Amino acid sequence: MSSSPATKPDNSDPAKHNAATLSIDGKEYLLPVRHGTVGPEVVDVSSLYNDTGLFTYDPGFASTASCDSELTFIDGENGILLHRGYPIDQLADRGTFLETCHLLLYGELPTVDQYADFQNRVTMHTMVHEQMNRMYAGFRRDAHPMAIMVGVVGALSAFYHDSTDITDPVQRDIAAIRMIAKMPTIAAMAFKYSIGQPFIYPRNDLDYSANFLQMCFAVPCEVYKADPTLARAMDRIFILHADHEQNASTSTVRLAGSSGANPFACISAGIACLWGPAHGGANEAALNMLSEIGTVDRIPEFVERAKDKDDPFRLMGFGHRVYKNYDPRAKIMQKSCHEVLDALGLKNDPTLQVALELERIALEDDYFVDKKLYPNIDFYSGITLRALGFPTTMFTVLFALARTVGWIAQWREMIEDPDQRIGRPRQLYTGPAEREYVPIDQRG
Ligand code: ACO
């Protein structure tokens, strides 16, 4: 993959390794070490099987880099998240979601003219084909909105034939714009369907997030005015979820796309992966936990349970596989949470009081300090989304909406990589060795 001058890795640093030596039965193999712009170096094992007949073994990919990427960087030890080099807190505090989309898709924050053009292109694609409305009617009324999302997003490939030739950069771009533009419409329709209200069409006079709120909360019999504070909070939540490196759903999108599959179908695969409770579902669990604790005086009891090795209870919204410091997104989410509750006159919301006090107590407790367990993005997002008016079943849908730009940017980066090949992991086979077929009447 080519590197832009701004991100070209520095290979002249003498502190960096150039190669690693692997010794097998006294024979030594030199494996090249590659350097990124920042972050850990990688040992390139791509020729290992050819050279040695051995595979590497790394279930869960804890030590495996699956690709080159210029999009997102996480330094978990120091609680840093960068998109194309820009810290997440700067993007969330000072920018808009569509600016972040432009940054992820095209590599740079847009100029004024580029922004106006991008906003216009997205706005002009927000409607979905009218026949898609009928797809919703095929789902049971009580269908989970994520089930609807998986089906409807995959079905986009049946409606937009002019954006499915992945070898054509123009079609790839249209597919990306369509996905970013239509996802709020599709998500809002899933919500409306689940509560038995009529679909609300997009409004081109509103910005991305205000339009999404009106599609979710307007009804045809009343005039709806999106509260700018709430629309801004929604926009920030989208920015915070826009991309997060090679997580499970992003890797799913890349793997599905590596076969040359239709881009809409690849995003649908990402949505399916995100749906799992170990990935997109933790904010719901955190909110449930805070509600279960209920009052500040019960916090010590739950903290003790979280520390007890014999009790499976964990503080939900605490701890992270990568962040061993305060999740930088959690800080912004906490701020947004305050803004939303203030705007709605819910400053004394008991769940927020429990969350703030629980965070304070846990951050002073040796157990959490020693294990580097800090609040993650999910700790405050559930309270915020509930205050905005969303039921818990919609939480992961909102995550999918926001992450779509990350998925599609990663998918494009993969397709445009000249070294890209179909993803095909190997395995350590532990089943029976070859054996003879036994006719059914002779099996014991
Ligand atoms: N409460 C209490 N103890 C915890 C917690 C917690 N939330 N998280 C980790 N620990 C303890 C573990 O018991 C373990 O202790 P031990 O070393 O004495 O056995 C130690 O900290 C390390 O925990 P692991 O589970 O090994 O860490 P891992 O990196 O595998 O897990 C995870 C990370 C899954 C996020 C974990 O911290 C957790 O379960 N948190 C609660 C769920 C949650 O908030 N998930 C959202 C993640 S963010 C996201 O997906 C967007």
Side-chain angles (χ1 to χ4, degrees):
M1 199 184 74
S2 63
S3 296
S4 64
T7 59
K8 209 166 174 56
D10 174 16
N11 289 327
S12 59
D13 183 348
K16 299 207 164 171
H17 306 92
N18 288 319
T21 310
L22 178 69
S23 174
I24 303 169
D25 295 337
K27 193 165 173 208
E28 296 207 328
Y29 299 88
L30 215 54
L31 300 167
V33 172
R34 298 185 53 213
H35 315 148
T37 325
V38 281
E41 302 158 284
V42 301
V43 179
D44 183 345
V45 295
S46 53
S47 68
L48 189 73
Y49 179 60
N50 270 349
D51 296 345
T52 66
L54 300 181
F55 298 144
T56 55
Y57 181 70
D58 183 20
F61 307 114
S63 301
T64 298
S66 60
C67 60
D68 287 29
S69 183
E70 296 180 356
L71 287 163
T72 295
F73 173 72
I74 301 172
D75 176 348
E77 288 303 321
N78 296 304
I80 292 169
L81 168 62
L82 308 176
H83 291 320
R84 305 263 192 197
Y86 293 101
I88 188 67
D89 50 316
Q90 292 184 21
L91 292 171
D93 268 344
R94 291 152 64 181
T96 66
F97 178 62
L98 282 189
E99 272 185 293
T100 301
C101 291
H102 188 284
L103 176 69
L104 287 168
L105 282 178
Y106 304 115
E108 294 299 339
L109 287 168
T111 62
V112 172
D113 288 348
Q114 285 168 339
Y115 189 57
D117 175 60
F118 184 66
Q119 202 170 23
N120 186 50
R121 281 196 295 148
V122 170
T123 306
M124 291 307 153
H125 281 287
T126 48
M127 273 174 48
V128 292
H129 195 291
E130 193 64 13
Q131 272 179 283
M132 286 196 77
N133 294 6
R134 293 192 217 145
M135 282 202 66
Y136 287 80
F139 287 95
R140 273 173 57 137
R141 252 298 301 284
D142 56 357
H144 195 290
M146 279 301 270
I148 298 180
M149 294 298 285
V150 172
V152 174
V153 172
L156 287 172
S157 45
F159 288 88
Y160 299 102
H161 299 286
D162 61 341
S163 37
T164 53
D165 178 0
I166 62 159
T167 62
D168 177 354
V170 176
Q171 292 204 27
R172 285 202 297 271
D173 196 51
I174 296 173
I177 297 286
R178 281 210 166 109
M179 225 105 62
I180 292 165
K182 295 188 195 306
M183 202 58 89
T185 315
I186 292 170
M189 287 166 81
F191 177 47
K192 286 299 198 188
Y193 184 73
S194 71
I195 56 172
Q197 289 187 3
F199 298 142
I200 301 292
Y201 284 94
R203 266 179 49 191
N204 287 359
D205 60 320
L206 296 177
D207 66 35
Y208 190 86
S209 297
N211 176 47
F212 176 62
L213 290 180
Q214 78 89 21
M215 287 191 290
C216 288
F217 299 117
V219 285
C221 43
E222 277 177 25
V223 175
Y224 177 84
K225 194 167 168 356
D227 180 322
T229 307
L230 304 188
R232 177 69 190 129
M234 191 75 260
D235 207 61
R236 262 206 203 113
I237 291 171
F238 291 157
I239 296 171
L240 295 181
H241 290 87
D243 195 38
H244 212 229
E245 221 221 48
Q246 307 309 320
N247 56 81
S249 57
T250 302
S251 298
T252 301
V253 171
R254 278 186 178 258
L255 195 57
S258 75
S259 70
N262 175 286
F264 301 111
C266 296
I267 300 301
S268 171
I271 295 173
C273 178
L274 183 73
W275 191 2
H279 194 359
N283 49 14
E284 183 176 345
L287 182 63
N288 290 341
M289 177 197 72
L290 294 171
S291 304
E292 193 192 340
I293 297 175
T295 48
V296 168
D297 57 299
R298 295 190 65 205
I299 293 174
E301 173 199 332
F302 281 83
V303 168
E304 284 316 307
R305 281 186 60 194
K307 289 156 56 174
D308 181 355
K309 280 229 154 294
D310 300 325
D311 189 329
F313 174 78
R314 284 186 168 197
L315 284 192
M316 300 312 287
F318 254 77
H320 196 276
R321 173 61 62 83
V322 179
Y323 293 116
K324 300 302 167 199
N325 205 318
Y326 212 106
D327 178 343
R329 303 167 302 171
K331 283 187 192 154
I332 309 158
M333 189 57 85
Q334 191 205 54
K335 195 171 134 191
S336 275
C337 185
H338 280 293
E339 281 173 10
V340 167
L341 295 184
D342 282 358
L344 294 169
L346 300 170
K347 222 188 283 192
N348 296 323
D349 178 70
T351 329
L352 177 65
Q353 302 310 320
V354 171
L356 290 169
E357 186 59 8
L358 177 58
E359 177 186 340
R360 193 190 64 74
I361 292 176
L363 291 181
E364 286 176 359
D365 190 300
D366 286 348
Y367 174 92
F368 295 92
V369 174
D370 293 348
K371 292 186 189 301
K372 299 186 178 175
L373 299 169
Y374 293 85
N376 60 50
I377 187 172
D378 293 320
F379 193 63
Y380 286 102
S381 64
I383 309 175
T384 317
L385 294 176
R386 186 183 61 180
L388 283 169
F390 292 105
T392 48
T393 50
M394 278 296 287
F395 290 2
T396 321
V397 174
L398 300 174
F399 191 162
L401 188 172
R403 183 55 58 84
T404 295
V405 64
W407 289 330
I408 199 79
Q410 300 263 359
W411 171 83
R412 268 169 44 139
E413 184 176 62
M414 179 200 62
I415 298 290
E416 287 162 18
D417 180 350
D419 296 333
Q420 185 266 327
R421 300 199 298 165
I422 187 167
R424 178 41 172 106
R426 308 308 287 251
Q427 64 171 11
L428 179 65
Y429 176 68
T430 54
E434 185 173 335
R435 49 185 172 162
E436 212 44 51
Y437 177 84
V438 181
I440 192 162
D441 57 349
Q442 293 170 29
R443 287 174 216 157

